[in-house]
Amino acid sequence: MSQMVPQIRTLKRRKFDDDEVSLPKKLIPVSDGKNKRPKKHQLNKLSTIPHVKWGPKDDLKLILAVQQSCDLSMVHKCVKFSHKPSYQDIEERWYQLLYIPEISNPATKAIATLSIEEKSAIQRKTLWSAKEEVILQQVEASSQPKIDNFNTMLYQHPLVFHPSRTAKDLMIHWDRLRQYSLLVDQTVQPLNLGDTVLNFSDVEEQHTDEDLLAHHTDPVLQNELRKIDRRHKHEIKKLEEDIRQWHTMVGGPENGPFSFELDNETYAALRGRLVRYLMRSKEITLGRATPTHQVDVDFSLEGPAWKISKKQGIIKHHAGEFFLWNFGKRPIYIGGRPVIQGCHSKLYHNCVLEICSLKFTFLINSNMVNNTKNSDKAA
């Protein structure tokens, strides 16, 4: 017996208009009859075509605007659609409505389903043709026309004005032309190049804050301004006091290298590359200053001092001699010899102190030291 082969019945689904999407002739790949399958570069070109959804209201706006202006660029600039199509999208849609029945016929049927109110609202907002504006421009601005004059104009030119135009629409558009000086009896005065045209910044510079505040005085604003002014003056006063202290403790180069001359109140000085620290007491502290810890010699003013301890050491003057004690973890080099934590060493004139790549020259005021010795012996 021969085996029975079951037959499979295929179900065909009915095609709808949404399933068929036709492209304009200039975008449809043309086959030479040998290869029915489109080439790869043709498929890539078709896949890059943007899909823009056009509704019946958009199609009606496009048709009316093109009929009125006969300019697609004007339609692209002036007509507001439900989406934001590009100029190529508008040109493509207009081509489809003209030459592709598979697209234009469903679009025409969809436009017919719109209500009378929707159609009239779109028609009244359509673009104004050049002929319509020419007739409106003939009405002079000095004549002050009434609504009856525009009714007469509609009756005299029924073939020029769109059937949806009303006398009120004509009056509103005529007033808009008058505002832009586009009527026949209006002229735009040329700009005199000799006159100075002020821009916004020039006008703003002519007015001061006092002129603006003179007309309106706000007590809350005045109180805030007084607080800000008082706070700024307090900061300035504090900076002036700090400057005096810096001048006392630190000297800097003014017009060249440091001066070796020291006054009668200075025992010695530490001269660095940028600043000079003055020793005006018999004992000064060395280290790194912080908001909570102050030292007499702040190494951070000379250079990077984040590796230096807050209290790195002290320098003492006793019986005409100077000694340095190191309390920090980093060694202090005096003349190339290290002074480690807990040790001390004697300082000489013109000896070099080095700590964490910062170098200083220790200078002794011999006159001040001798005067101190004599006063101690006399006592």
Side-chain angles (χ1 to χ4, degrees), residues 173-187:
H173 194 68
W174 174 87
D175 186 64
R176 190 179 295 114
L177 295 175
R178 182 183 60 82
Q179 293 177 0
Y180 287 96
S181 302
L182 297 176
L183 301 180
V184 66
D185 61 335
Q186 292 179 327
T187 57

Side-chain angles (χ1 to χ4, degrees), residues 14 33 47 67 170 200 205 230 260 269 290 340:
R14 182 181 177 184
S47 62
Q67 290 176 351
L170 268 63
F200 181 78
E205 289 179 358
R230 187 164 54 251
F260 291 95
T290 62
I340 61 176

Side-chain angles (χ1 to χ4, degrees), residues 79-109:
V79 179
K80 184 178 181 181
F81 297 97
S82 60
H83 54 282
K84 292 183 179 180
S86 62
Y87 178 81
Q88 290 75 15
D89 296 335
I90 295 176
E91 184 181 19
E92 192 70 33
R93 185 60 178 180
W94 181 246
Y95 181 89
Q96 293 172 358
L97 293 176
L98 284 180
Y99 302 110
I100 303 179
E102 291 82 359
I103 295 179
S104 61
N105 292 337
T108 305
K109 294 179 181 179

Side-chain angles (χ1 to χ4, degrees), residues 349-365:
H349 182 66
N350 277 339
C351 65
V352 179
L353 279 73
E354 182 179 357
I355 177 172
C356 297
S357 302
L358 299 179
K359 293 183 179 182
F360 304 91
T361 302
F362 187 72
L363 304 174
I364 298 175
N365 188 358

Side-chain angles (χ1 to χ4, degrees), residues 205-217:
E205 289 179 358
Q206 294 179 358
H207 297 278
T208 59
D209 295 340
E210 289 77 8
D211 298 337
L212 299 176
L213 295 176
H215 303 285
H216 177 72
T217 303

Side-chain angles (χ1 to χ4, degrees), residues 3-261:
Q3 295 180 356
M4 300 293 294
V5 179
Q7 296 182 355
I8 300 175
R9 182 180 179 184
T10 59
L11 298 177
K12 294 184 177 181
R13 184 174 63 87
R14 182 181 177 184
K15 293 185 178 180
F16 297 91
D17 294 334
D18 296 337
D19 298 337
E20 299 179 0
V21 179
S22 300
L23 297 173
K25 294 181 180 179
K26 60 181 181 180
L27 298 179
I28 297 177
V30 181
S31 177
D32 56 356
K34 298 180 181 180
N35 298 324
K36 295 184 179 181
R37 186 176 180 180
K39 296 182 180 180
K40 185 177 180 180
H41 70 276
Q42 293 175 340
L43 291 174
N44 294 336
K45 184 177 181 180
L46 293 176
S47 62
T48 58
I49 299 177
H51 177 71
V52 180
K53 185 176 181 180
W54 289 82
K57 292 183 179 181
D58 295 331
D59 290 335
L60 182 58
K61 290 179 181 180
L62 177 60
I63 294 172
L64 293 175
V66 173
Q67 290 176 351
Q68 288 291 106
S69 63
C70 300
D71 188 359
L72 290 179
S73 61
M74 184 69 69
V75 175
H76 176 250
K77 294 177 182 178
C78 301
V79 179
K80 184 178 181 181
F81 297 97
S82 60
H83 54 282
K84 292 183 179 180
S86 62
Y87 178 81
Q88 290 75 15
D89 296 335
I90 295 176
E91 184 181 19
E92 192 70 33
R93 185 60 178 180
W94 181 246
Y95 181 89
Q96 293 172 358
L97 293 176
L98 284 180
Y99 302 110
I100 303 179
E102 291 82 359
I103 295 179
S104 61
N105 292 337
T108 305
K109 294 179 181 179
I111 292 174
T113 58
L114 296 175
S115 62
I116 299 176
E117 291 78 7
E118 292 176 338
K119 291 181 180 179
S120 61
I122 295 174
Q123 291 172 354
R124 291 184 63 181
K125 294 181 180 179
T126 189
L127 297 180
W128 291 77
S129 64
K131 295 181 179 180
E132 290 176 334
E133 291 187 343
V134 168
I135 296 176
L136 290 175
Q137 288 173 355
Q138 301 303 319
V139 182
E140 298 179 356
S142 59
S143 61
Q144 297 181 358
K146 304 296 181 181
I147 194 71
D148 297 334
N149 301 106
F150 294 103
N151 275 323
T152 305
M153 189 180 297
L154 285 174
Y155 180 76
Q156 293 176 352
H157 306 280
L159 300 179
V160 177
F161 291 100
H162 195 273
S164 63
R165 307 290 189 203
T166 61
K168 186 177 180 181
D169 296 335
L170 268 63
M171 188 173 183
I172 293 174
H173 194 68
W174 174 87
D175 186 64
R176 190 179 295 114
L177 295 175
R178 182 183 60 82
Q179 293 177 0
Y180 287 96
S181 302
L182 297 176
L183 301 180
V184 66
D185 61 335
Q186 292 179 327
T187 57
V188 179
Q189 297 295 333
L191 180 64
N192 190 0
L193 298 180
D195 298 340
T196 303
V197 180
L198 298 178
N199 52 24
F200 181 78
S201 59
D202 296 335
V203 177
E204 187 179 18
E205 289 179 358
Q206 294 179 358
H207 297 278
T208 59
D209 295 340
E210 289 77 8
D211 298 337
L212 299 176
L213 295 176
H215 303 285
H216 177 72
T217 303
D218 189 358
V220 179
L221 178 61
Q222 296 297 329
N223 187 24
E224 292 295 330
L225 291 176
R226 284 193 295 269
K227 290 182 180 179
I228 294 173
D229 184 62
R230 187 164 54 251
R231 183 165 60 251
H232 289 171
K233 289 180 179 179
H234 180 70
E235 293 178 356
I236 293 173
K237 185 177 179 181
K238 184 178 179 182
L239 289 175
E240 291 177 350
E241 294 177 354
D242 293 341
I243 289 173
R244 296 193 194 99
Q245 184 179 1
W246 294 339
H247 279 299
T248 303
M249 299 301 300
V250 180
E254 296 181 355
N255 296 321
F258 289 103
S259 174
F260 291 95
E261 296 181 359

